[in-house]
């Protein structure tokens, strides 16, 4: 047994003896009404208040620690996806992983909504359509230049829950902000493992996502994007 | 003990996130759409990777049951679409499987509830 625990034991025994003696001493006065002085009652109130404050402070420290932990965890998760992730209305979110970018959408599609018709009114000469698909929510056309081997793909979709766009690479994807008319888009540069540059922008007013993917240079892609025209059905 | 569990939990979370970020994928662009029209699921996907041979299948699942699939292949660009009757109150999953230039396509599926 250590000296410290022995001291505690002796102290506890002493307190018990003092308690018993005190109780014996005050026993004759137990039945009597006793009015404490104002000063004593004030001291007791202050003591009770300080004990209560200590308890509240301990609770506050515990709550702050929980909030801090949740905050650190939340921020870590947030940063691992995208510091610019749009979550204000949660209509669309862009998840950025090390080598994958995923655009996903959460809003419901109105039954009556139909896909507007857009076309590229300009592209470099020599390109011919090699693949296309149009349905209720997606429009896709891929053009190829046989001589140069370049491709330009134009795709847009009404963004609703059930649409997902993934840009994949073997290496981290590098992007920069670009302006397309009144929109700010993201230009994803081709890496050493891919010849494909991707330009993505979103028209929130019309719930549309636009993508131009091409092996051509940035200027050509931006000129294609700037030439988009609405076609009347 | 509580502190140890909290630290362990944070470590596991961080490790899991690191591994998910490092998963190997192909260099490509893949878009997918699952849309319900009446009682029909309209499914589509486009896959783009210049000068690579793409061999893909678009699959519609209900739980662990594959209810329909549509194949597509080609070089550089492949677009696949298909439709299948669906039942209210079920959750459907649209997946793209296959290879691009011999490497597996690794994209997250779309899950959608048909109310």
């Amino acid at each position: 047994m250590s000296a410290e625990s022995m001291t505690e034991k002796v102290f506890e025994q002493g307190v018990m003896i003092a308690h018993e003696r005190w109780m014996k001493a005050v026993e004759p006065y137990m039945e009597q009404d006793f009015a404490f002085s104002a000063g004593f009652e004030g001291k007791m109130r202050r003591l009770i208040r300080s004990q209560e404050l200590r308890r509240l402070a301990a609770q506050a420290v515990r709550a702050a620690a929980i909030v801090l932990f949740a905050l650190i965890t939340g921020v870590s998760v947030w940063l691992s996806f995208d510091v610019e992730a749009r979550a204000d209305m949660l209509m669309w979110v862009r998840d950025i992983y090390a080598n994958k970018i995923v655009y996903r959408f959460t809003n419901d599609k109105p039954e009556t909504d139909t896909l507007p018709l857009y076309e590229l009114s300009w592209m470099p000469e020599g390109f011919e359509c090699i693949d296309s698909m149009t349905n209720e929510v997606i429009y896709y056309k891929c053009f190829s230049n046989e001589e140069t081997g370049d491709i330009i793909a134009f795709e847009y979709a009404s963004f609703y829950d059930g649409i997902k766009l993934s840009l994949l690479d073997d290496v981290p994807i590098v992007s920069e902000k670009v302006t397309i008319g009144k929109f700010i888009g993201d230009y994803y540069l081709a890496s050493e493992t891919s010849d494909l540059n991707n330009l993505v922008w979103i028209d929130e007013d019309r719930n549309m996502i636009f993508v131009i993917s091409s092996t051509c240079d940035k200027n050509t892609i931006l000129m294609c994007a700037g030439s988009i025209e609405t076609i009347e059905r | 003990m509580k502190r140890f569990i909290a630290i362990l939990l944070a470590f596991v979370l961080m490790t899991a996130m690191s591994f998910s970020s490092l998963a190997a994928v192909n260099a490509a662009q893949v878009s997918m759409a699952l849309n319900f029209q009446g009682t029909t699921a309209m499914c589509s996907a486009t896959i783009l990777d210049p000068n690579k041979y793409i061999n893909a299948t678009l699959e519609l699942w209900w739980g662990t049951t594959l209810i329909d699939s549509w194949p597509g292949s080609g070089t550089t660009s492949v677009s696949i679409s298909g439709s299948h009757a669906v039942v209210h109150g079920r959750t459907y999953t649209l997946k793209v499987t296959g290879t691009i230039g011999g490497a597996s396509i690794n994209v997250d599926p779309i899950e959608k509830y048909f109310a």
Side-chain angles (χ1 to χ4, degrees), chain A residues 166-182:
Chain A
S166 305
L167 308 176
L168 316 170
D169 210 329
D170 293 322
V171 294
I173 299 171
V174 179
S175 71
E176 60 182 74
K177 294 285 178 198
V178 291
T179 305
I180 309 106
K182 62 176 183 173

Side-chain angles (χ1 to χ4, degrees), chain B:
Chain B
M1 187 61 185
K2 277 181 190 170
R3 196 175 297 166
F4 174 73
I5 290 170
I7 291 167
L8 189 71
L9 209 66
F11 178 75
V12 168
L13 189 69
M14 299 299 173
T15 311
M17 286 187 319
S18 306
F19 277 112
S20 71
S21 299
L22 291 171
V25 291
N26 301 291
Q29 185 218 295
V30 180
S31 60
M32 300 159 67
L34 171 59
N35 182 38
F36 299 119
Q37 265 189 316
T39 54
T40 304
M42 312 296 289
C43 312
S44 60
T46 64
I47 303 158
L48 182 68
D49 198 346
N51 304 315
K52 296 266 178 70
Y53 183 73
I54 302 162
N55 187 10
T57 304
L58 185 62
E59 298 175 346
L60 183 65
W61 292 75
W62 168 49
T64 53
T65 308
L66 175 65
I67 53 176
D68 212 340
S69 65
W70 305 273
S73 60
T75 303
T76 298
S77 172
V78 165
S79 53
I80 309 169
S81 61
S83 60
H84 193 95
V86 283
V87 177
H88 289 282
R90 288 180 178 179
T91 299
Y92 293 90
T93 307
L94 189 67
K95 294 179 185 175
V96 171
T97 60
T99 56
I100 300 174
S104 295
I105 299 171
N106 178 15
V107 287
D108 301 332
I110 292 175
E111 253 188 28
K112 198 169 176 180
Y113 177 72
F114 184 38

Side-chain angles (χ1 to χ4, degrees), chain A residues 29-47:
Chain A
Y29 308 103
M30 285 291 212
E31 300 300 314
Q32 295 176 17
D33 287 335
F34 188 80
F36 291 102
S37 72
F40 180 79
E41 287 199 343
K43 275 182 192 171
M44 287 298 107
R45 270 199 300 274
R46 278 197 294 279
L47 183 67

